[in-house]
Structures are given as structure tokens and as C-alpha cells.
């Protein structure tokens, strides 16, 4: 559990460069699994075909590199359930001027 | 990230700067001298092909993968397209300056081949992906109308060179303009905005029924307008096309407001805000123009009315929309290229760090405001107003394009 929180904190360093909000507060991270041979992240993006897909996934891999050590970092981008603004944290909503 | 869009977008920015600089030096005299001569052809084609189409093609190459979530059919074909189109266009523009028919004919053929290569690449990408929706259908029909614009231009060129089909010249001229301005630019801008605007507003769960209505009505306006010119220019058919276009533009604006209403981000950025103002202004102007044309169908195709409509549509809407969206497209292009691999690392800038929003806001305000003066000048037959407004517009545009250019140094 402690490791999951560490991973989540690392993922807070990955920002959506258009929105300027980290992917955890945006509600893009659906699942974190810390397994003996890999770290598994199930996540989504704000819109299918998001032009920043590659950069954000690359950012996730980079942010988790030292926590993973020799283990694989498995990033699974899914479109179900579809992301919705209700998944954002209060901090993210405030930052975007959500009302 | 492919470099292909980068080449088109940078070349388009250079084309835009050249157009503004050339127009500044001559104080937009080419508008007053009439656009159906070598100086007019040079300026209009530099603006329409060297700036707007060049940048639009780059935007298609950049966004088609985003829209379809699949790769472009052939990147290599894209580079061949770039080379052929750019060489052809450069030759065409110098041919207009030098007034050499053979040179114009050869270069126009090359430019048209460039357009065909672009259409082939886009069509193959769309057919392979086979994901038909309002965005892809708008892009597909826009590219089809670009090909028809080029085809009409080529036939006009043949007419000039050989004297064949003299009685068809004006019909082809009308169709050439209508296919290009209404069909190519109109459907591409509206279609791509259906993807981009919700992204920048973070809009979700907005209705999309009006997108379909706009697509159908806009296509009907394009086909009826171009068809009526080709058939000999029946005032009533052209008026019908104009009314359909006004309906499509108004419905499009209602849809934009639906997207804005369902947003989850307060500000989409100054460039996008200005694109909204530009779209709303267009809706008011096109609706007013349709009402005026209904009252004065015999004056609808007067030189003054056509010039005024051309200025408002091309400079006031097409070019202004491209400038507005460029405030997002160019930082994105550069960020992905330079910083994409550094996402998640401390100190990596976000997109908003690459372009000063305050300067974008001021520049677009100056450009938008100064667009009105040449329009008033054309309306009042005042070349002084055209020159003064055009000069302010050119200075504001040059400042803005320099601001966009600075993104590449960040």
C-alpha cells in the first residue's frame, strides 16, 4: 500500500502540458498495481486520440523509472470507462476554473 | 513526432510574412487596382496558397493522426507533396510577376500535381482508417473541393494559354473561387474545430447533432454555388447558395456555443477566445449579407460586393481563424518535438510557457480591429482607408507571426 502511494506521488510529477494539471489530479490514473516483476498502470486520457498521448505515456515511464528498478513498467491506456470531468480532484477543478 | 507538418507550417508563416510585407510596401494598392490582373493574382495566390493553404495542409498532416488515431498513409509522399507544391507555387508567383504564360502554365501544373498528391495521401489515410464521422467527412469533402478548385484554375489557365472555351472563363472563375473559399477552407476549418475546440475547452457531453446539419448544409451551399456559376450564374441559384451558407454559419455558431456551454475549463486560451469572437462576427455579417442579397440580387456580384465579401471571408475569417488556432498548433508542434521526451521531468515547461498569452491577446485584438478599416474602405470607395487599415493590419500581423516564430526559440 505504501508503495502504491509512492507510485501515485511520482505520477503527480507528470503534467498534461496543455492543461497544466498533473495526471493524478486530472483523474486519468485508473489503477496502480505494484507487482514483483512489473509496475502496472491503467490510465486514460481526456480525449481519445489526444495529441499528447506519446508524451504523457513517456512521462509516466520516466517518472517511475527509479522506483521500478529492473522491473517492467506496463502502461495500459484504456478508453473504458471514458474519462469525465467529474473524475478530477477539487484541486484540478479549481486550477482549471471549473464551475 | 513527424517533421512534415513543421515544414508546411514554417513555410506558411514565411508566406504570410511575405504577403504582409509586400502589401505594406504597396499600401494594399493591389486591392484598389482590381484583383483580376497580375498584381492581384500574385497577392491573392500568395495569401491563399502560400499562407492559408500551406498552413492548412500542415495542420491536416499534424491532426489527421490525432483524429483517426492511426498513421498517415505515406510520410514520404507528404515530403514529395511539399517539394512539388512549394516549387510549383514559387514558380507560379514569379510567373505572375514576370507575366510569362509558359512559366505560369508549367508552375501551375506542378502546384496542381502537389494538390493531387496531398489529396491522394489524405484520401488513402481516411479510407484505410475507415472512421467516418463529421470531422473526417468534413476533411474529406474539404480536400475534394481543393482538388476541384485546382482543376477549375487549371482549365482557366488552359483557356488563357489557348483561347479555348472563352465563353466558359467567367463561369470557371466563379466556381474556382467558390470551391476554394467556401468548400476547401470552410469545411476544413469547421471540421477540425469539432475536434480542437472541445479539447481546449475540455468540453464533454455536448450535443453533436448540429455538426451533421452544418456538414450537409455547408456541402449543399458549396455544390449549389459552384454548380450555379458553372451553369452560367443564375442569380437565384447563387442567392440560394448564399442563404444556405448563412444558415450553415449560424448553426455552426450555435454549436460552438453548445461546446462552450459544456466546458470544464474556464479559459481555452486567448487565441481560441478570439476564434470564437471571429466566428460570431462572421455569423452576423454573413446573415446580414444574405438579407442584403435577397433585397439586391442584381448587385450581388458587383465588383465592390465581391471584393468586400472576399476580404471579409478570406482575411477576416479564414486567415484570422488560422492565426487564432496557430496560437495552439505551433506551441504544441514545438513542445512535442523539443520537450515531448522530457514530459514528467522537473523543469519541463508546459505549452502555455512557450507563448505569451497577453501578447497574443493584444496582437489578435489589433489584427481583428484593423480588419474592419479596409472593409469600410472598400464599402466607401476610399483607398486611403484601405491603405491605412491594411497597414495597421500588416504591422499587427507581422508582429504576431514573429511572436509565433519565437516559439521555436523556447
Amino acid at each position: 500500500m505504501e508503495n502504491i502511494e509512492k507510485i501515485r506521488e511520482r505520477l503527480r510529477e507528470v503534467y498534461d502540458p496543455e492543461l497544466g494539471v498533473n495526471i493524478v489530479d486530472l483523474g486519468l490514473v485508473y489503477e496502480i498495481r505494484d507487482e514483483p516483476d512489473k509496475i502496472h498502470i491503467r490510465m486514460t486520457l481526456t480525449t481519445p486520440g489526444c495529441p499528447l498521448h506519446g508524451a504523457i505515456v513517456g512521462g509516466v515511464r520516466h517518472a517511475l523509472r527509479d522506483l521500478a528498478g529492473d522491473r517492467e513498467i506496463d502502461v495500459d491506456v484504456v478508453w473504458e470507462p471514458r474519462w469525465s470531468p467529474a473524475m478530477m480532484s477539487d484541486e484540478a477543478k479549481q486550477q482549471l476554473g471549473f464551475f | 513526432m513527424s517533421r512534415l507538418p513543421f515544414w508546411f507550417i514554417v513555410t506558411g508563416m514565411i508566406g504570410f510574412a511575405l504577403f504582409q510585407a509586400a502589401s505594406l510596401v504597396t499600401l494594399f494598392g493591389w486591392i484598389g487596382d482590381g484583383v483580376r490582373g497580375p498584381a492581384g493574382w500574385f497577392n491573392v495566390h500568395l495569401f491563399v496558397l502560400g499562407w492559408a493553404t500551406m498552413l492548412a495542409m500542415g495542420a491536416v498532416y499534424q491532426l489527421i493522426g490525432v483524429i483517426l488515431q492511426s498513421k498517415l498513409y505515406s510520410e514520404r509522399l507528404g515530403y514529395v507533396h511539399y517539394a512539388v507544391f512549394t516549387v510549383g507555387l514559387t514558380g507560379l508567383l514569379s510567373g505572375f510577376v514576370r507575366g510569362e504564360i509558359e512559366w505560369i502554365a508549367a508552375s501551375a501544373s506542378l502546384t496542381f500535381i502537389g494538390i493531387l498528391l496531398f489529396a491522394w495521401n489524405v484520401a488513402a489515410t481516411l479510407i484505410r482508417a475507415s472512421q467516418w464521422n463529421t470531422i473526417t467527412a468534413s476533411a474529406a469533402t474539404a480536400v475534394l473541393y481543393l482538388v476541384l478548385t485546382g482543376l477549375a484554375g487549371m482549365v482557366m489557365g488552359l483557356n488563357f494559354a489557348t483561347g479555348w472555351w472563352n465563353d466558359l472563363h467567367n463561369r470557371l472563375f466563379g466556381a474556382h473561387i467558390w470551391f476554394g473559399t467556401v468548400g476547401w477552407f470552410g469545411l476544413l476549418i469547421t471540421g477540425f474545430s469539432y475536434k480542437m475546440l472541445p479539447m481546449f475547452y475540455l468540453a464533454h457531453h455536448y450535443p453533436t447533432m448540429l455538426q451533421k446539419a452544418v456538414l450537409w448544409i455547408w456541402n449543399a451551399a458549396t455544390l449549389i454555388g459552384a454548380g450555379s456559376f458553372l451553369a452560367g450564374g443564375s442569380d437565384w441559384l447563387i442567392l440560394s447558395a448564399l442563404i444556405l451558407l448563412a444558415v450553415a454559419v449560424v448553426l455552426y455558431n450555435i454549436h460552438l456555443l453548445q461546446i462552450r456551454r459544456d466546458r470544464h475549463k474556464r479559459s481555452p486560451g486567448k487565441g481560441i477566445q478570439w476564434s470564437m469572437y471571429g466566428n460570431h462576427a462572421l455569423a452576423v455579417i454573413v446573415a446580414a449579407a444574405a438579407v442584403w442579397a435577397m433585397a439586391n440580387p442584381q448587385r450581388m456580384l458587383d465588383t465592390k460586393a465581391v471584393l468586400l465579401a472576399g476580404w471579409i471571408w478570406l482575411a477576416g475569417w479564414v486567415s484570422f481563424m488560422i492565426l487564432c488556432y496557430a496560437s495552439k498548433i505551433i506551441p504544441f508542434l514545438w513542445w512535442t518535438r523539443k520537450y515531448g521526451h522530457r514530459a514528467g521531468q522537473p523543469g519541463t515547461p508546459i505549452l502555455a510557457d512557450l507563448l505569451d498569452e497577453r501578447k497574443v491577446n493584444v496582437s489578435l485584438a489589433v489584427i481583428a480591429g484593423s480588419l474592419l478599416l479596409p472593409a469600410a474602405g472598400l464599402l466607401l470607395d476610399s483607398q486611403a482607408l484601405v491603405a491605412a487599415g491594411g497597414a495597421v493590419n500588416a504591422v499587427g500581423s507581422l508582429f504576431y507571426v514573429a511572436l509565433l516564430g519565437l516559439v521555436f526559440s523556447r
Side-chain angles (χ1 to χ4, degrees):
Chain A
M1 207 57 174
E2 194 182 322
N3 279 350
I4 299 288
E5 277 318 301
K6 267 189 194 166
I7 293 169
R8 196 183 308 279
E9 278 314 302
R10 286 295 175 88
L11 292 179
R12 282 186 202 278
E13 292 170 9
V14 184
Y15 279 73
D16 179 314
E18 161 62 19
L19 301 172
V21 180
N22 73 69
I23 60 171
V24 174
D25 281 330
L26 276 174
L28 299 180
V29 179
Y30 287 166
E31 187 188 13
I32 300 171
R33 287 205 314 263
D34 186 33
E35 298 174 355
D37 59 337
K38 68 179 174 189
I39 295 178
H40 176 84
I41 306 294
R42 193 164 62 90
M43 63 176 290
T44 191
L45 298 169
T46 54
T47 177
C50 172
L52 298 161
H53 185 141
I56 293 175
V57 170
V60 168
R61 290 185 193 284
H62 181 271
L64 300 181
R65 194 172 296 160
D66 60 336
L67 279 180
D70 293 336
R71 291 181 296 166
E72 184 191 345
I73 302 166
D74 179 24
V75 184
D76 185 15
V77 178
V78 297
W79 305 112
E80 286 296 332
R82 195 176 168 192
W83 178 84
S84 106
M87 295 171 177
M88 289 193 288
S89 70
D90 288 343
E91 287 78 10
K93 289 174 185 170
Q94 197 172 10
Q95 203 172 329
L96 294 173
F98 183 70
F99 47 92
Chain B
M1 182 70 191
S2 164
R3 291 184 184 188
L4 184 59
F6 183 84
W7 282 99
F8 280 94
I9 289 172
V10 169
T11 308
M13 287 166 68
I14 293 169
F16 182 67
L18 281 176
F19 169 82
Q20 297 296 350
S23 294
L24 191 59
V25 169
T26 59
L27 288 175
F28 284 80
W30 61 271
I31 294 181
D33 296 341
V35 292
R36 294 187 75 173
W41 295 336
F42 171 84
N43 283 286
V44 170
H45 285 87
L46 175 56
F47 188 77
V48 167
L49 292 178
W51 153 238
T53 295
M54 188 73 81
L55 203 129
M57 286 169 163
V60 170
Y61 283 136
Q62 187 180 353
L63 294 170
I64 199 161
V66 173
I67 290 162
L68 298 171
Q69 296 169 63
S70 67
K71 285 189 172 174
L72 182 69
Y73 168 69
S74 169
E75 183 128 342
R76 183 176 292 180
L77 183 60
Y79 283 108
V80 175
H81 156 218
Y82 172 78
V84 171
F85 183 76
T86 308
V87 169
L89 178 60
T90 308
L92 183 66
L93 294 172
S94 74
F96 288 146
V97 172
R98 300 189 317 191
E100 291 178 14
I101 299 277
E102 294 79 10
W103 191 255
I104 293 173
S107 305
S109 302
L110 263 186
T111 310
F112 185 52
I113 290 168
I115 288 172
L116 291 178
L117 294 176
F118 172 65
W120 175 16
N121 216 352
V122 173
T125 309
L126 288 168
I127 290 166
R128 195 172 58 176
S130 193
Q131 291 177 38
W132 295 105
N133 53 45
T134 46
I135 303 170
T136 50
S138 297
T141 48
V143 173
L144 171 67
Y145 295 136
L146 174 66
V147 171
L148 293 175
T149 308
L151 188 63
M154 288 299 293
V155 179
M156 281 168 67
L158 265 179
N159 158 251
F160 263 129
T162 62
W164 300 339
W165 318 303
N166 273 336
D167 50 335
L168 291 181
H169 186 83
N170 275 338
R171 300 181 184 196
L172 288 164
F173 181 63
H176 177 64
I177 291 176
W178 196 264
F179 273 136
T181 53
V182 176
W184 158 235
F185 288 125
L187 282 158
L188 192 72
I189 290 170
T190 53
F192 275 13
S193 71
Y194 302 146
K195 178 71 185 176
M196 290 197 283
L197 210 61
M199 281 195 320
F200 298 132
Y201 269 123
L202 204 58
H204 272 251
H205 307 305
Y206 52 86
T208 55
M209 199 189 70
L210 282 181
Q211 287 183 7
K212 290 178 189 146
V214 172
L215 173 66
W216 283 103
I217 299 170
W218 206 295
N219 269 291
T222 307
L223 291 171
I224 291 173
S228 62
F229 280 116
L230 285 173
S234 150
D235 281 353
W236 292 106
L237 272 181
I238 293 169
L239 181 61
S240 307
L242 180 60
I243 292 168
L244 279 174
L245 182 61
V247 171
V249 171
V250 169
L251 291 179
Y252 172 63
N253 271 269
I254 294 171
H255 181 56
L256 297 183
L257 291 174
Q258 289 175 329
I259 293 174
R260 187 178 178 277
R261 182 194 63 201
D262 291 334
R263 72 193 187 276
H264 294 88
K265 186 181 175 199
R266 189 180 293 273
S267 170
K270 294 297 179 191
I272 300 303
Q273 274 180 356
W274 274 103
S275 80
M276 292 292 276
Y277 303 149
N279 276 311
H280 299 336
L282 181 79
V284 172
I285 292 169
V286 174
V291 171
W292 177 84
M294 279 190 267
N296 304 278
Q298 73 289 354
R299 290 172 59 196
M300 202 170 43
L301 296 179
D302 285 357
T303 305
K304 190 201 277 192
V306 171
L307 266 181
L308 187 59
W311 175 261
I312 288 168
W313 188 266
L314 285 174
W317 187 61
V318 172
S319 176
F320 190 64
M321 286 302 116
I322 295 174
L323 290 174
C324 291
Y325 276 102
S327 72
K328 290 288 186 184
I329 290 173
I330 289 172
F332 166 74
L333 188 70
W334 190 242
W335 187 94
T336 314
R337 184 164 166 65
K338 188 168 179 186
Y339 298 107
H341 64 286
R342 283 178 46 190
Q345 294 180 30
T348 304
I350 59 171
L351 286 165
D353 296 330
L354 302 187
L355 188 59
D356 186 331
E357 281 279 281
R358 198 174 45 85
K359 288 179 183 162
V360 167
N361 191 32
V362 172
S363 308
L364 290 175
V366 169
I367 292 169
S370 60
L371 281 166
L372 299 173
L373 286 177
L378 288 169
L379 201 61
L380 303 169
D381 293 319
S382 164
Q383 185 58 33
L385 260 181
V386 171
V392 176
N393 187 259
V395 171
S397 298
L398 286 168
F399 178 81
Y400 183 69
V401 83
L403 195 64
L404 293 175
L406 281 176
V407 169
F408 300 126
S409 68
R410 305 271 181 193

